[in-house]
Amino acid sequence: MDWSKSMHDIWNPWHGCVRVSPGCANCYMYFLDRQRGQDGRHIYRTSSFDYPLQRDQAGRYRVQSGELIRVCMTSDFFLAEADEWREEAWNIMYQRPDVIFFLLTKRPERIRAHLPSDWGEGWENVWLNVTCENQAMADRRMPVLLDVPAKHKGVMCAPLIGPVSLMPYLQSGVIEQVICGGENYDGARPCHYEWVKQLHDECLTYRTAFSFIETGTHFVKDGRSYFIRSKQRQAEQAYRSGLSFGHLPSFNLKTPLGFPLQPSDCYQPVYDGPHCKQCGSRRICNGCSHCGKCRR
């Protein structure tokens, strides 16, 4: 399988990674690569490196204006082994100021040294996020993220493998969203409802958008363990918890020619997949009509 072509709202300019923290122990990328006879430690530039610049037969961009694209979901954008490709990837994002690029990293200490020369206080179309799978990683990574100049910042507590308090960091007012989810696949560790609820309550206190996207394979609530193999079912259970709230932040996007992007020119997601109405990822998803991912 070519991971770079697996989902319409994901851009994987490179694939493969190096484990750096407890959240990496049961990495889904390693697991799925192993299922296909591949080695997740093999790091390479993908065949869809220029995906955000690709056009269809009518000459239109495949990635439409206003879409949110998650970057390097099978690697890490600030991976040292990808240093030779990153400048070109930044240049692609620069050419698409009409698209939101969601960057997630477990290596925030490398961000400052690997930003574009004209980054300034940040690019409006780039959203910097760090993974905080437990309290130790939150306390290590969040101060670094808060210190990095950026227009938009967020947190991914997934896989959530321990209780996490973000209260000291949410007080800054610059974190726009917290995403939370349990662990999946081989050796999935338990995710406790109480941990999710604590994050929800802290986000509610500071009116920070919160998305509980999936329970993970092993979910614990009120002392009882639930083993949920279906990711669809996990997303449904997360939705039914009623814990998610808030919306994506506002991004002042521009057309590639530099003009303000009008709402009427933006892609409008349509949630018409068979499971969209009760999907925990709906708040952070581009919809199903465009890519059909819920029908797979």
Side-chain angles (χ1 to χ4, degrees):
M1 176 181 180
D2 185 345
W3 276 97
S4 63
K5 301 176 181 178
S6 62
M7 292 179 69
H8 129 270
D9 59 355
I10 287 178
W11 172 38
N12 290 324
W14 46 86
H15 177 82
C17 203
V18 178
R19 290 184 170 100
V20 293
S21 68
C24 302
N26 299 319
C27 175
Y28 67 89
M29 181 274 294
Y30 274 78
F31 173 79
L32 294 175
D33 266 13
R34 190 163 60 250
Q35 294 290 95
R36 300 178 177 90
Q38 301 175 16
D39 186 348
R41 296 173 298 178
H42 175 48
I43 300 163
Y44 59 90
R45 176 175 167 138
T46 70
S47 60
S48 292
F49 189 92
D50 64 345
Y51 173 55
L53 300 181
Q54 292 178 4
R55 298 176 184 265
D56 60 21
Q57 293 181 343
R60 298 168 299 200
Y61 281 122
R62 296 185 184 279
V63 178
Q64 299 177 37
S65 294
E67 289 198 72
L68 185 150
I69 302 298
R70 292 174 285 166
V71 184
C72 282
M73 291 295 100
T74 62
S75 185
D76 189 310
F77 189 74
F78 293 98
L79 185 73
E81 288 77 0
D83 284 353
E84 62 181 301
W85 306 315
R86 192 174 302 100
E87 184 175 354
E88 188 176 350
W90 280 125
N91 185 50
I92 290 173
M93 286 183 265
Y94 180 81
Q95 294 179 65
R96 293 301 310 272
D98 57 327
V99 172
I100 303 164
F101 293 94
F102 179 99
L103 304 187
L104 177 65
T105 185
K106 289 183 174 72
R107 298 163 170 82
E109 69 280 358
R110 303 196 79 243
I111 294 178
R112 273 190 176 272
H114 297 280
L115 291 170
S117 59
D118 60 349
W119 178 259
E121 293 303 309
W123 290 356
E124 186 62 43
N125 66 327
V126 175
W127 192 356
L128 290 182
N129 292 258
V130 296
T131 301
C132 296
E133 65 265 37
N134 60 21
Q135 193 63 53
M137 292 301 103
D139 292 339
R140 176 185 298 180
R141 293 170 180 154
M142 287 303 299
V144 180
L145 175 67
L146 294 182
D147 188 56
V148 171
K151 297 288 187 181
H152 303 283
K153 299 178 183 181
V155 183
M156 174 78 85
C157 292
L160 186 61
I161 58 174
V164 174
S165 173
L166 295 176
M167 190 72 81
Y169 313 114
L170 297 179
Q171 291 175 1
S172 68
V174 302
I175 301 302
E176 295 171 306
Q177 180 174 253
V178 174
I179 300 172
C180 174
E183 189 169 51
N184 276 291
Y185 303 117
D186 203 12
R189 290 159 286 186
C191 174
H192 290 248
Y193 173 83
E194 291 76 16
W195 303 344
V196 180
K197 183 63 164 56
Q198 176 181 333
L199 284 170
H200 161 273
D201 292 349
E202 292 183 357
C203 287
L204 191 61
T205 298
Y206 291 99
R207 305 306 303 169
T208 302
F210 179 76
S211 291
F212 179 30
I213 59 173
E214 61 185 8
T215 62
T217 301
H218 184 184
F219 192 61
V220 180
K221 187 174 188 294
D222 298 328
R224 182 176 177 182
S225 289
Y226 299 87
F227 292 90
I228 310 170
R229 301 293 178 185
S230 166
K231 286 179 66 64
Q232 171 194 321
R233 181 69 171 164
Q234 292 178 28
E236 289 176 354
Q237 291 301 312
Y239 173 85
R240 290 177 181 176
S241 74
L243 295 178
S244 298
F245 70 90
H247 302 281
L248 292 179
S250 297
F251 295 84
N252 296 319
L253 302 178
K254 297 181 179 180
T255 70
L257 294 178
F259 299 105
L261 188 65
Q262 302 302 316
S264 59
D265 296 326
C266 290
Y267 166 76
Q268 298 298 319
V270 177
Y271 302 100
D272 64 353
H275 311 294
C276 284
K277 290 183 179 180
Q278 294 189 331
C279 179
S281 291
R282 177 167 173 161
R283 294 173 180 272
I284 59 170
C285 173
N286 278 342
C288 296
S289 282
H290 195 70
C291 64
K293 64 187 176 186
C294 280
R295 298 185 175 89
R296 295 179 182 176

